[in-house]
Amino acid sequence: MGSGWERAIIVGASSGIGAAVARELARQGCRHIGLVARRETELSQLAGEIGEGARIYAHDVTCYDQVPLLFQQICRDLGGLDLIIYAAGVMPRITAEEYAFEKDQSTIRVNVLGAVAWLNEAAQRFAVAQSGTIVGLSSVAGDRGRRGQPVYCASKAAFDTYLEGLRNRLGRLGVSVVTIKPGPVDTPMTQGLDKLPMLISADEAARQIVAAARRKTGGIAYVPAKWRPIMFVIRHIPSFLFRKMNI
Amino acid sequence: MSAPNPLVLSSDAAERVPAPLREPVPLPADHLESVSAWGMSTRVLSHVYRPSTVQGIRHVFTLARERGVAVGLRGAGRSYGDASLLGENVSLDLTRMNRILDWDPQAGIIRAQPGVTIRQVWQCAIEDGWWPYVVPGTMFPTLGGCAAMNIHGKNNWKVGPIGDHIQEFEILLPTGDVRRCSRAENADLFHAAIGGFGVLGCFLSITLELKRVYSGLLHVEPIPVDNLTEMMRVFEERMEGADYLVGWIDCFAGGRETGRGLIHQANYLAPGEDPHPAQTLRVQNQELPDTLFGVFPKGLLWRFMKPFTNNVGMRAVNAAKYHLSRRHGGSGGGHTQSHAGFAFLLDYVPDWKRAYEPGGLIQYQSFIPAAQAHAVFTEQIALCQRRGLVPYLGVFKRHRPDPFLMTHSVDGYSFALDFKVTRANRKQVWGLAAEMDRLVIEAGGRFYFAKDSTLHPARLERYRDEERVRKFLALKRACDPENLLQTELYRRLFTEK
C-alpha cells in the first residue's frame, strides 16, 4: 500500500471504529494486523473476516502492567510495526445531575491511561526506528468541556494534549502522530443516544481516518472534515456564553 | 491470545524446552536498536547486547531463554542481506569479543576471539611476514562472521575458503556446552559450523593458519578483456600461475561486448624479490590512504559518487573505466601494490554504500559450474538489461569445491552483481533475482548466504533435499533443540512457514 504500512496494531479493535479501521487497513493491503481488545469472541469474528494476516490478543487496556510485554510479543508476531491506532474508549452514560467517580475513573483509565501505556511503548520504538505512525482516536468532545460529559470531554482533551506532546517530541525523528477527532459515528458507543448531528457510519469514518493517518506530517484531522470549521467556532465561543448554551 | 512461541519448531523440540525460570518480563527498552543489513536494504529493530566475555554470552542466552525469544548472532554486520539480522528478538553483537588470544610468529598461527576483525589479524601478523590465506574485499568483517559465512577471496580456486585454513575453534552451543572442533575432533560440527551462518553455536575462539609472505607487496597485472569468452579464457590460462585473479565486468555492455571488463592478476613476490621487505611489510606501508591525491578527504567521496549512482551515471562510469583500462592496461609488466591495497578494494572509499541511500543496495552472487558458467552469466547480464535493472558493479571470480556442509562453492565461477534498491524498483529487483535464480538452479549452481537478500524457500527445495543440507539441519536440531539461534535469513529459508 502507498503508505508502506505492512504491520499494524489496533487497540480497541473488537467493535465500532476500531473494527472498521481494521477492515479498512486490510482492504488497503496491510498484511499483518494485531487486533487488541477485551472481547475475544468479537476479535475472533473480526479476524475471521480479515483473514490470514490478523492476530488477536485479548487484553484489558487498564491492565497497564501487561502492556510492555504484550506490545513486544505483538511486534514479534507481526515481524515489526509500522502503525499503531489507539481506538479504545468508553463513554459511560451519566445523567445531567450525576457525579459518579467509578464511571469517571474508568473513563480516565481507558481513554487516557490506557492510551499512554500503549502509545508510550510505540513512541519509544518508533523513535529508535525513526519511522512509524501513531494514531489516536480522540473526539470533537475534547475541544470543549460540555455539561453532559465533563469527564469524557476532559479525557479526550487530555488525550489530545498528550498526542500533541508526542507529535512535538517525535516529529523531528520522522514519526508521524495523528490526532483523529471524529464527530458522532454510528457505533455501539453512540447507540441509544439522541441528538447526534451529522452522524456517519463506522466504515465511512474508518475510510477517512486511514486517509488522514497517511498524511506524513501528522497533525489533527476532524472526521468528517466539516467538523473542523464547526469546532473552530465552538472553541472560540466565550466561556460565559458557552455555559448558557445546551451543547 | 494467539502468540506462537518462537522457540518451538516441532513437538520433539518442545519436549526439551526447559520451563521458564520466572514469569515472563519484557526485554529492556534501552537495548532496543535499529539494526541494518550492510546493504541498507533491510532494517529491523532488535534488543542488542554486546558482551565482552564468555560469561556475558552465556548470560544473553539465559536471558533470551527466560524471555522466550530467539538470539541472532552478529559480527561486524558486513553481510549484504539479512544474515546478521534478527528483528524483534535479541541480537548478540560480538564485536566486543575482540581480543587476539595468541599469536605464534614462527608458525604463523593466530588464535582469536570471534569479534576480532580481519584488519586486526593482518595488522598483527604482517610485520612478522604473514598474511591471511583468505580475506574478503573489505578488512572490517569479524573472524567469527567470516567463519560463519566461510568467506572466500580472490584466490578461492587456489586456497579454498577461510574454513580450509581454520585449524580449530571452540564453540558455545545453545545448550551451554562448549565444544572444541577440528578436522580430528568433532569433525562433523567443524564442517557444519564453518559456513553454518551462525545458527549452530557461538564461536568463542578461532585458530587460523596464515601464509608466509616475503614482501608487503604483490605483483599486479591488469588485463583488459573484450567479452566474457575472453574473460574466461584468460582465467583458465592463468589459474595455474596466478595467486589471485579477479574480474570486473561492465554490465551495461551488450551484444558482442557482453562481459567486457578488466582482470587483475596478482602474485606474491618470491624471497629476495623485494629489496626492502622489512619496510614494505610494515603496517603503515599497507594502510590505505585516507585522502585522495594527498589532500581530499576520502570520507567525503561518497557524496560525490551519489550524483552518478543512477543508470546514466553508472553507464558512463563503467564505460570510462573499461576504455581507460584498454588504454593503460594489457601492455604487460604491471605494477606492485600492497597486500591491503590489492585485497581491500571495497575499503578505498569509506562509506561508499551511502551513495545508494536511501534504498540501499543488494548484491546477487551466484556460483555456477565451469561448463555452464558462460551461458548462465551471459543470460543473467542480458536479463538484467532487458528488465532495465543493470547492476552497477559486476565481479567475476574462480572457485573450487570445499568440504563444508553448507558450502556455496563449486568447481566453476561466481558472478556478483550490485543492484541499487529504491522504493519504486524493489519489487522488480526481487522479481529479476527470482528469474536469475531459476537459471542458477537449472545449471546446478549455488548461492552465498553472506550476500543473499532475495532467495525464496520455494526455489531452494532441491537444495534442501541434498543429503548434506539434511545433515546440517539434523545437527542444528541436536546442537540447538530449542531453536534459540536464528537469523532473518535462517527464518526466511529454513523454518517452516
Side-chain angles (χ1 to χ4, degrees), chain A residues 3 5 24 28 83 85 133-137 176-181 204-225 228:
Chain A
S3 61
W5 295 325
E24 180 65 18
Q28 293 192 15
L83 167 70
I85 298 178
T133 303
I134 293 173
V135 177
L137 253 65
S176 173
V177 180
V178 183
T179 306
I180 301 289
K181 287 173 163 285
E204 176 56 24
R207 195 189 59 73
Q208 294 190 30
I209 289 166
V210 173
R214 241 196 237 113
R215 282 183 226 129
K216 286 192 180 327
T217 49
I220 299 168
Y222 286 84
V223 171
R228 183 180 289 277

Side-chain angles (χ1 to χ4, degrees), chain B residues 117-139:
Chain B
T117 61
I118 293 293
R119 182 185 198 207
Q120 283 176 272
V121 172
W122 75 257
Q123 291 194 343
C124 166
I126 194 163
E127 296 204 21
D128 294 318
W130 301 93
W131 181 261
Y133 274 97
V134 177
V135 295
T138 163
M139 65 176 92

Side-chain angles (χ1 to χ4, degrees), chain A residues 55 57 70 72 76 80 125 129, chain B residues 1-2 4 27 43 69 88:
Chain A
R55 289 167 180 264
Y57 303 88
L70 181 56
Q72 276 185 13
R76 196 172 304 131
R125 178 193 170 85
Chain B
M1 185 170 96
S2 64
L27 289 161
R43 200 168 58 125
V69 298
E88 310 304 330

